[in-house]
PDB file of all heavy atoms in Angstrom:
ATOM      1  N   PRO T1359     -51.815 -50.016  14.527  1.00 73.00           N
ATOM      2  CA  PRO T1359     -51.765 -48.999  15.594  1.00 73.00           C
ATOM      3  C   PRO T1359     -51.347 -49.591  16.930  1.00 73.00           C
ATOM      4  O   PRO T1359     -51.756 -50.687  17.282  1.00 73.00           O
ATOM      5  CB  PRO T1359     -53.204 -48.474  15.630  1.00 73.00           C
ATOM      6  CG  PRO T1359     -54.036 -49.579  15.062  1.00 73.00           C
ATOM      7  CD  PRO T1359     -53.177 -50.223  14.013  1.00 73.00           C
ATOM      8  N   GLN T1360     -50.542 -48.843  17.661  1.00 77.00           N
ATOM      9  CA  GLN T1360     -50.077 -49.268  18.978  1.00 77.00           C
ATOM     10  C   GLN T1360     -50.401 -48.154  19.976  1.00 77.00           C
ATOM     11  O   GLN T1360     -49.523 -47.493  20.506  1.00 77.00           O
ATOM     12  CB  GLN T1360     -48.574 -49.544  18.943  1.00 77.00           C
ATOM     13  CG  GLN T1360     -48.136 -50.565  17.923  1.00 77.00           C
ATOM     14  CD  GLN T1360     -48.588 -51.969  18.277  1.00 77.00           C
ATOM     15  OE1 GLN T1360     -48.526 -52.381  19.432  1.00 77.00           O
ATOM     16  NE2 GLN T1360     -49.059 -52.700  17.289  1.00 77.00           N
ATOM     17  N   THR T1361     -51.672 -47.931  20.225  1.00 87.00           N
ATOM     18  CA  THR T1361     -52.077 -46.873  21.150  1.00 87.00           C
ATOM     19  C   THR T1361     -53.140 -47.396  22.098  1.00 87.00           C
ATOM     20  O   THR T1361     -53.966 -48.232  21.727  1.00 87.00           O
ATOM     21  CB  THR T1361     -52.620 -45.653  20.385  1.00 87.00           C
ATOM     22  OG1 THR T1361     -53.076 -44.673  21.333  1.00 87.00           O
ATOM     23  CG2 THR T1361     -53.773 -46.035  19.462  1.00 87.00           C
ATOM     24  N   ALA T1362     -53.093 -46.897  23.318  1.00 89.00           N
ATOM     25  CA  ALA T1362     -54.090 -47.285  24.315  1.00 89.00           C
ATOM     26  C   ALA T1362     -55.350 -46.439  24.211  1.00 89.00           C
ATOM     27  O   ALA T1362     -56.355 -46.744  24.859  1.00 89.00           O
ATOM     28  CB  ALA T1362     -53.492 -47.143  25.709  1.00 89.00           C
ATOM     29  N   LEU T1363     -55.326 -45.388  23.407  1.00 93.00           N
ATOM     30  CA  LEU T1363     -56.468 -44.503  23.297  1.00 93.00           C
ATOM     31  C   LEU T1363     -57.612 -45.170  22.534  1.00 93.00           C
ATOM     32  O   LEU T1363     -57.398 -45.751  21.471  1.00 93.00           O
ATOM     33  CB  LEU T1363     -56.081 -43.212  22.574  1.00 93.00           C
ATOM     34  CG  LEU T1363     -55.170 -42.232  23.317  1.00 93.00           C
ATOM     35  CD1 LEU T1363     -54.819 -41.080  22.394  1.00 93.00           C
ATOM     36  CD2 LEU T1363     -55.845 -41.723  24.580  1.00 93.00           C
ATOM     37  N   ILE T1364     -58.809 -45.069  23.060  1.00 94.00           N
ATOM     38  CA  ILE T1364     -59.953 -45.492  22.274  1.00 94.00           C
ATOM     39  C   ILE T1364     -60.204 -44.425  21.204  1.00 94.00           C
ATOM     40  O   ILE T1364     -59.741 -43.294  21.313  1.00 94.00           O
ATOM     41  CB  ILE T1364     -61.203 -45.715  23.134  1.00 94.00           C
ATOM     42  CG1 ILE T1364     -61.596 -44.437  23.886  1.00 94.00           C
ATOM     43  CG2 ILE T1364     -60.992 -46.863  24.085  1.00 94.00           C
ATOM     44  CD1 ILE T1364     -62.892 -44.552  24.667  1.00 94.00           C
ATOM     45  N   ARG T1365     -60.933 -44.783  20.179  1.00 97.00           N
ATOM     46  CA  ARG T1365     -61.036 -43.934  18.992  1.00 97.00           C
ATOM     47  C   ARG T1365     -61.662 -42.567  19.282  1.00 97.00           C
ATOM     48  O   ARG T1365     -61.257 -41.558  18.709  1.00 97.00           O
ATOM     49  CB  ARG T1365     -61.826 -44.679  17.916  1.00 97.00           C
ATOM     50  CG  ARG T1365     -61.659 -44.115  16.528  1.00 97.00           C
ATOM     51  CD  ARG T1365     -62.218 -45.051  15.494  1.00 97.00           C
ATOM     52  NE  ARG T1365     -61.319 -46.160  15.190  1.00 97.00           N
ATOM     53  CZ  ARG T1365     -61.525 -47.428  15.522  1.00 97.00           C
ATOM     54  NH1 ARG T1365     -62.603 -47.763  16.214  1.00 97.00           N
ATOM     55  NH2 ARG T1365     -60.673 -48.366  15.183  1.00 97.00           N
ATOM     56  N   ARG T1366     -62.629 -42.506  20.148  1.00 97.00           N
ATOM     57  CA  ARG T1366     -63.264 -41.219  20.447  1.00 97.00           C
ATOM     58  C   ARG T1366     -62.273 -40.253  21.085  1.00 97.00           C
ATOM     59  O   ARG T1366     -62.285 -39.053  20.781  1.00 97.00           O
ATOM     60  CB  ARG T1366     -64.494 -41.407  21.336  1.00 97.00           C
ATOM     61  CG  ARG T1366     -64.195 -42.152  22.606  1.00 97.00           C
ATOM     62  CD  ARG T1366     -65.380 -42.447  23.514  1.00 97.00           C
ATOM     63  NE  ARG T1366     -66.666 -42.100  22.991  1.00 97.00           N
ATOM     64  CZ  ARG T1366     -67.627 -41.521  23.719  1.00 97.00           C
ATOM     65  NH1 ARG T1366     -67.392 -41.205  24.975  1.00 97.00           N
ATOM     66  NH2 ARG T1366     -68.810 -41.265  23.195  1.00 97.00           N
TER      67      ARG T1366
END
Side-chain angles (χ1 to χ4, degrees):
Q1360 303 290 318
T1361 177
L1363 289 176
I1364 59 175
R1365 197 168 281 110
R1366 55 183 6 222

